[in-house]
Amino acid sequence: MSARKNLRRMLGVPAALAASALLVAGCVSNEPPEEENDSVSQDDGAGGTANDEPGDNVVIGFSAPAADHGWMGAITRSALDTAEQYEDVELRQAEATNDVNMQISHIEQFINDGVDAIVLLPFDGDALTEVALDAMEAGIPVINVDRELSSPFASRATILGDNYGMGVSAGTYICEELGDQPDAVVAEIQGIANLPLTQDRSQGFEDALSDCGLEVSTQVAADFTIQGGETATSNLLQAEPEIDAIWNHDDDQGVGVLAAIENAGRDEFFMVGGAGSLDVMEHIQSGDSVLQATVIYPSTQAADGIKLARLIAQDKDMADLVSAGAPHTIQLYAPVVTADNVDQYLDLGFRS
Amino acid sequence: MTRPLAEPPADTEKHDGTRRRAWLHGAAGRNLGLVVALLLLCVFGVISGGERFANIDNVMTILRLAAVIGVLAIGMTFVITSGGIDLSVGSVMGLTTVWATTLATQSMAENSHWIVIVSTALVVGIAAGAINGVIIAYGRVVPFIATLAMLASARGLAEMISNRQTQRVESGAFIDFFRSEPLGIPILVWIFAAVAVAGWFLLNRTTFGRRTVAIGGNAEASRLAGIKVQRHTLYIYALAGLTAGIAGVMMLGRTTAGTSTHGMLYELDAIAAVVVGGTLLIGGRGTIVGTVFGVLIFTILTNVFTINNMSTSAQLVAKGAIIVAAVLLQQRFANRSKST
């Protein structure tokens, strides 16, 4: 198989994953799904590389926080869907919990069971580090997703989103749209303000804006909930009678943000979202609201973790890399979705 | 279950009580439903999980998970037996983990001994409990409201102190101690056992315990009988605070990190374990043994669910159903032993 073909197949993976997820979720047609991307091969189920050929049977333990947020729900759903596509993967899913005591116990159970790999999205990276070390010492590779463990010995591989990069992407987009108005009013609606991930996003946003001479005029914080988004935005709109652009960090809280904007009857600005929910992508596609773009924070990270765990457990190399062994750290890209390219990303959107 | 004081008169009503009925009617009888529920769970665990359930590593995993909530539930047993409720134990526990891992505490511990971390957590726990007690006993605020206020403010204070960040325990000796396993049993389990035994002794074999039951049965009669009800109430909430502090230290040992999110909703887990265990929510009767059973039932449930790879949502539904089943079973046994 040529490298070029490999690459095309790799690119087809997310599309195929999302397509099959959608199929499961609610496509009522009995017709086979239309092939939009001819690089996706239908017969091997997962659509991808030679690595997708069935290998040794592996048991993967999966543990993540409670799905109390659209993005987190999508994380778990996509992980389960991905595992489903491999006949050689048995996925053990621990009860999703925001209690680190409980999550530690689940990892201990995986260790007792002697699973072949653990995919762990910790509620709190620091608190789960010790038990992840135990797993690694027991010879079980830990694939750490999204929130980093605090010891380099606690995981075999780490998959992260790019929070700083989200800010940069959002800021760069706003710069392109407003670059010729040096005194434009730019507002920012954060998630939970004192989380490191929020600070990273804001720093990236500030850095990108300063590149074109803009700065954040008003910054408010919600709390990743619809209710919080509504409250924070109502206050913001009161404080700023004239706005040119808003970046909202999170599409889940964005439902509340949009509600507040519509209640206030404001539309003199455009808004950029964050995370990439299906709802927001549909708004972007139809152009029926102030939402003009969103920045993706992949909800498929844990699904990537499952794939990586399988490769590591089966001792395979990663396709499209020349070097041996699965990589140690992968940081995912944070692309901007606009009306021009939304069709390409629609399959990756999640229902909040 | 609606008559808190039905117990002692029922004893005298029992005219043809054989030895067996007396046994059934006593504490063992009340716990029979729990034992049956626990056994059924274990049988189900062995059938569905086999070796994976019935092996010593898994038993230790279960006990380690049970330990933290277990300690909270022992303190809660006293509060509920006295006719009160403490909604703040989870928050107070979070606060103790944060306070015990501040830079100031940790550098003090570094210069002396890690026991500083432990005593800080215990003192913070007792203080928070004592504040609850003062407000309830002397301010005459109902326990539900007073501890609800503490639930909110302890969590808030923890967030302020930690700036909502996770604080790692730097003391290697502290971590080593809490990861040690004397006689092959994790230290957390030893602590839980010690607290349970101490709690059982305190409730069943001391004046303190008898006064707690008396106040729960009838506070006014207790006052007339010469018990200093207010002072005793203060002690009980301070005791619950102390167990929150102990649980906080255990949580630190287990996670090696203090954060304001520790112990979220633990008060409900503790209350559920206490009530499923057979302690009356309106006071006047309490059982430490029952509480330990209650805690174990919940923990084994979680364990068996995970072994069977049940979906998270199905687990929650099943959990609710089994709580109701356990309580119904327990009532059935209690009623039968009374009516025969």
Side-chain angles (χ1 to χ4, degrees):
Chain A
M1 193 176 290
S2 74
R4 187 175 164 76
K5 199 168 174 193
N6 262 341
L7 178 67
R8 286 170 65 215
R9 288 194 157 197
M10 273 298 288
L11 289 173
V13 171
L17 287 188
S20 46
L22 275 180
L23 193 67
V24 173
C27 183
V28 286
S29 163
N30 285 326
E31 297 296 310
E34 259 179 62
E35 283 292 310
E36 285 177 23
N37 188 337
D38 61 0
S39 69
V40 178
S41 59
Q42 191 96 85
D43 47 2
D44 60 10
T49 68
N51 276 338
D52 287 326
E53 301 295 325
D56 302 337
N57 283 339
V58 291
V59 179
I60 298 174
F62 174 65
S63 175
D68 48 13
H69 184 253
W71 184 85
M72 193 59 88
I75 276 280
T76 302
R77 267 197 310 278
S78 66
L80 296 184
D81 290 345
T82 301
E84 195 88 328
Q85 289 170 0
Y86 291 106
E87 56 189 80
D88 52 0
V89 169
E90 182 195 331
L91 191 73
R92 299 232 174 104
Q93 189 199 359
E95 181 184 339
T97 175
N98 287 348
D99 172 12
V100 288
N101 189 22
M102 183 84 93
Q103 200 175 18
I104 288 173
S105 166
H106 292 322
I107 303 302
E108 286 173 350
Q109 258 184 291
F110 289 148
I111 298 173
N112 293 342
D113 280 359
V115 297
D116 298 303
I118 295 171
V119 176
L120 171 62
L121 201 173
F123 178 71
D124 180 323
D126 284 324
L128 267 291
T129 298
E130 284 295 316
V131 76
L133 280 169
D134 287 346
M136 290 291 282
E137 269 166 36
I140 301 171
V142 174
I143 288 74
N144 178 202
V145 179
D146 186 42
R147 301 175 188 173
E148 266 183 288
L149 299 167
S150 54
S151 161
F153 304 106
S155 63
R156 162 63 183 81
T158 305
I159 298 178
L160 302 168
D162 188 359
N163 285 303
Y164 181 83
M166 270 180 90
V168 171
S169 293
T172 308
Y173 177 79
I174 289 177
C175 271
E176 283 165 6
E177 298 289 305
L178 296 178
D180 50 347
Q181 309 172 39
D183 50 355
V185 176
V186 180
E188 181 184 7
I189 303 168
Q190 299 177 313
I192 295 172
N194 36 17
L195 289 182
L197 73 92
T198 299
Q199 288 154 8
D200 288 347
R201 289 178 188 186
S202 290
Q203 190 60 50
F205 191 53
E206 192 188 317
D207 291 352
L209 285 182
S210 72
D211 225 31
C212 65
L214 288 175
E215 59 182 33
V216 176
S217 316
T218 310
Q219 191 181 54
V220 292
D223 53 5
F224 290 125
T225 67
I226 294 175
Q227 194 187 336
E230 203 277 331
T231 313
T233 310
S234 307
N235 289 329
L236 169 71
L237 295 177
Q238 283 296 325
E240 292 282 356
E242 194 71 38
I243 300 175
D244 293 293
I246 297 182
W247 181 39
N248 167 42
H249 285 209
D250 180 72
D251 286 343
D252 280 302
Q253 77 185 17
V255 177
V257 171
L258 263 190
I261 290 171
E262 268 154 31
N263 284 342
R266 298 273 291 264
D267 61 359
E268 80 278 12
F269 52 82
F270 68 92
M271 182 158 90
V272 179
S277 78
L278 202 50
D279 188 45
V280 165
M281 289 193 197
E282 282 164 1
H283 277 303
I284 293 171
Q285 195 176 31
S286 65
D288 60 356
S289 73
V290 292
L291 266 166
Q292 201 167 304
T294 189
V295 189
I296 288 189
Y297 189 78
S299 64
T300 42
Q301 291 181 56
D304 293 330
I306 300 285
K307 280 188 164 252
L308 206 54
R310 177 176 167 274
L311 286 192
I312 290 170
Q314 293 180 342
D315 210 14
K316 288 177 176 165
D317 296 334
M318 185 137 155
D320 292 309
L321 291 185
V322 178
S323 308
H328 178 266
T329 310
I330 296 177
Q331 187 157 44
L332 301 164
Y333 180 49
V336 180
V337 179
T338 62
D340 295 334
N341 64 4
V342 62
D343 293 336
Q344 185 188 338
Y345 291 103
L346 217 46
D347 288 346
L348 288 170
F350 58 89
R351 278 275 171 226
S352 45
Chain B
M1 298 295 255
T2 50
R3 294 159 55 208
L5 289 175
E7 192 71 51
D11 260 321
T12 55
E13 278 165 21
K14 189 164 47 83
H15 30 273
D16 59 345
T18 64
R19 183 177 285 267
R20 188 178 150 272
R21 277 184 197 139
W23 177 81
L24 257 183
H25 190 71
R30 279 203 302 276
N31 288 333
L32 202 58
L34 292 169
V35 176
V36 169
L38 204 60
L39 281 179
L40 281 177
L41 260 180
C42 289
V43 168
F44 180 63
V46 170
I47 291 172
S48 61
E51 261 298 287
R52 292 172 54 213
F53 178 78
N55 87 31
I56 191 73
D57 286 338
N58 191 42
V59 173
M60 290 308 157
T61 300
I62 292 173
L63 291 178
R64 268 199 296 259
L65 178 59
V68 176
I69 302 251
V71 168
L72 286 179
I74 298 293
M76 186 70 80
T77 307
F78 281 87
V79 173
I80 293 181
T81 302
S82 78
I85 193 89
D86 190 344
L87 299 177
S88 70
V89 287
S91 294
V92 170
M93 189 193 111
L95 177 63
T96 64
T97 68
V98 166
W99 207 313
T101 51
T102 54
L103 276 180
T105 318
Q106 295 225 48
S107 65
M108 259 169 72
E110 209 171 303
N111 295 332
S112 48
H113 191 266
W114 56 261
I115 205 77
V116 173
I117 295 177
V118 176
S119 25
T120 306
L122 299 188
V123 168
V124 170
I126 293 172
I131 293 173
N132 277 337
V134 168
I135 294 172
I136 292 163
Y138 299 98
R140 299 186 186 282
V141 176
V142 286
F144 190 94
I145 299 300
T147 58
L148 188 64
M150 181 59 81
L151 172 141
S153 43
R155 190 73 71 195
L157 185 58
E159 287 182 2
M160 281 160 65
I161 294 174
S162 66
N163 200 14
R164 278 185 154 170
Q165 281 165 4
T166 304
Q167 303 170 163
R168 289 194 50 86
V169 178
E170 303 297 344
S171 163
F174 176 90
I175 294 169
D176 288 344
F177 177 78
F178 281 95
R179 292 178 69 76
S180 63
E181 303 194 343
L183 306 178
I185 295 172
I187 197 89
L188 293 184
V189 179
W190 283 112
I191 298 175
F192 175 33
V195 171
V197 169
W200 181 88
F201 185 81
L202 195 60
L203 186 61
N204 296 307
R205 291 286 180 275
T206 65
T207 323
F208 184 91
R210 278 191 292 278
R211 283 179 182 162
T212 305
V213 177
I215 290 175
N218 189 331
E220 183 59 18
S222 308
R223 191 183 65 79
L224 294 174
I227 299 177
K228 293 192 170 63
V229 174
Q230 286 174 319
R231 203 175 66 187
H232 193 80
T233 303
L234 169 58
Y235 290 161
I236 288 172
Y237 283 91
L239 180 69
L242 171 66
T243 57
I246 297 173
V249 173
M250 294 164 77
M251 197 71 172
L252 280 182
R254 192 162 155 79
T255 63
T256 73
T259 115
S260 56
T261 58
H262 275 338
M264 210 66 102
L265 298 181
Y266 273 25
E267 56 279 350
L268 297 186
D269 287 344
I271 293 170
V274 170
V275 173
V276 164
T279 296
L280 286 181
L281 201 46
I282 38 174
R285 195 181 80 193
T287 152
I288 297 288
V289 179
T291 297
V292 172
F293 275 125
V295 172
L296 288 180
I297 285 177
F298 282 109
T299 326
I300 294 177
L301 257 182
T302 308
N303 185 269
V304 172
F305 284 153
T306 308
I307 282 184
N308 285 302
N309 204 9
M310 285 175 67
S311 90
T312 295
S313 319
Q315 289 186 17
L316 293 176
V317 175
K319 235 176 205 171
I322 291 172
I323 292 173
V324 174
V327 174
L328 285 179
L329 206 63
Q330 185 198 352
Q331 282 179 350
R332 179 68 47 95
F333 275 102
N335 290 341
R336 186 175 299 165
S337 59
K338 253 175 219 164
S339 56
T340 45

